[in-house]
Amino acid sequence: MEKEVIKNRQTTEMNLIKAVDELIEENGFEGLGINAVAAKAGVSKMLIYRYFNSLDGLIAAYIQQHDYWINFDEQLPDEEHIGEFIKEIFKRQIAMLRQSYTLRRLYRWELTSNNTFIKELREKREAKGVWLVDAVSKLSKHPQKETAAMASILTAAISYLSLLEENCPVFNGINIQTEDGWKELEEGINILIDIWLEKREKRK
């Protein structure tokens, strides 16, 4: 009986998170509300309060489930392949953000929010980020602070340009609303990573 209750709760939570995605895809963030989400999921709105405490809690649950860095679980490479590894994780961050209209909308919401749910999200993202920076620092033989700075700059640039893409077609002459434009950006990221990694060789 207990297992059935847990299973039912998990199913309801998944349906509510899916409803958030569908509503934002259909009507934008402005169409999101407790009643609308409950109706879309086919459940009582009281379950949103019971399982997520509030609509903000449900939105945070959606972000947590889909955030690239929070859910990062790639296998770490050996030292020889660290360059390819770094390039690939930023390429995947780009792909995830550009493929999800809902996630981009909710990241905008996160930037203007500072509630308990958002603070918990940021703490989880920060913990994974610090762990990954430390791992890359050791594998690349670069100082931790330097690695953190590089990762922060590239991650922030990708996030900003992904959010900007919807309303701004061109940035510094690059068409960020086209695949070719993003390939240019990926090539630029790869060049920066190569230059950064070359510093290690010069230090030897």
Side-chain angles (χ1 to χ4, degrees):
M1 185 67 177
E2 185 179 351
K3 289 183 178 179
E4 184 177 344
V5 171
I6 293 173
K7 184 177 179 181
N8 288 339
R9 172 169 179 165
Q10 290 173 338
T11 299
T12 300
E13 288 179 351
M14 286 189 294
N15 287 340
L16 286 165
I17 290 172
K18 182 180 178 183
V20 169
D21 190 27
E22 292 176 351
L23 282 170
I24 292 178
E25 286 282 350
E26 293 168 6
N27 306 310
F29 186 76
E30 296 74 17
L32 206 61
I34 286 282
N35 293 329
V37 173
K40 191 73 172 178
V43 301
S44 166
K45 67 180 181 181
M46 294 308 298
L47 292 179
I48 296 176
Y49 293 107
R50 182 182 301 173
Y51 297 155
F52 300 100
N53 294 307
S54 66
L55 180 60
D56 284 353
L58 174 56
I59 294 172
Y62 181 97
I63 296 175
Q64 179 170 321
Q65 188 177 99
H66 294 87
D67 185 272
Y68 179 65
W69 298 114
I70 290 175
N71 296 292
F72 184 87
D73 62 353
E74 305 292 332
Q75 184 175 351
L76 295 175
D78 53 30
E79 184 179 332
E80 182 182 353
H81 297 94
I82 186 62
E84 291 87 345
F85 172 79
I86 298 171
K87 292 173 185 177
E88 184 62 25
I89 61 176
F90 285 122
K91 183 177 179 180
R92 290 182 183 178
Q93 183 197 3
I94 290 171
M96 177 168 286
L97 273 174
R98 295 193 68 229
Q99 288 169 5
S100 178
Y101 173 78
T102 298
L103 195 57
R104 293 195 305 275
R105 284 288 176 172
L106 296 186
Y107 278 161
R108 289 193 186 101
W109 169 80
E110 181 186 337
L111 287 172
T112 62
S113 304
N114 198 36
N115 56 52
T116 301
F117 307 107
I118 292 303
K119 288 178 180 178
E120 290 176 357
L121 267 179
R122 290 170 182 161
E123 287 172 1
K124 290 177 181 178
R125 194 183 290 131
E126 177 69 7
K128 184 61 68 73
V130 169
W131 170 82
L132 185 56
V133 163
D134 186 58
V136 170
S137 174
K138 291 175 181 175
L139 286 167
S140 67
K141 303 295 191 294
H142 280 65
Q144 195 273 347
K145 287 185 178 180
E146 184 181 290
T147 306
M150 279 291 297
S152 299
I153 291 167
L154 291 177
T155 302
I158 290 169
S159 297
Y160 175 73
L161 292 173
S162 298
L163 297 180
L164 191 66
E165 177 183 355
E166 184 180 337
N167 297 311
C168 179
V170 179
F171 190 87
N172 285 338
I174 298 175
N175 191 329
I176 57 176
Q177 292 183 338
T178 67
E179 295 303 318
D180 286 343
W182 278 92
K183 284 180 182 178
E184 287 182 53
L185 292 170
E186 286 181 18
E187 289 172 6
I189 290 171
N190 292 344
I191 290 170
L192 289 173
I193 291 168
D194 286 339
I195 292 172
W196 178 64
L197 289 174
E198 283 173 7
K199 289 180 64 179
R200 176 183 58 175
E201 300 302 320
K202 293 177 181 178
R203 287 188 180 117
K204 290 181 178 179

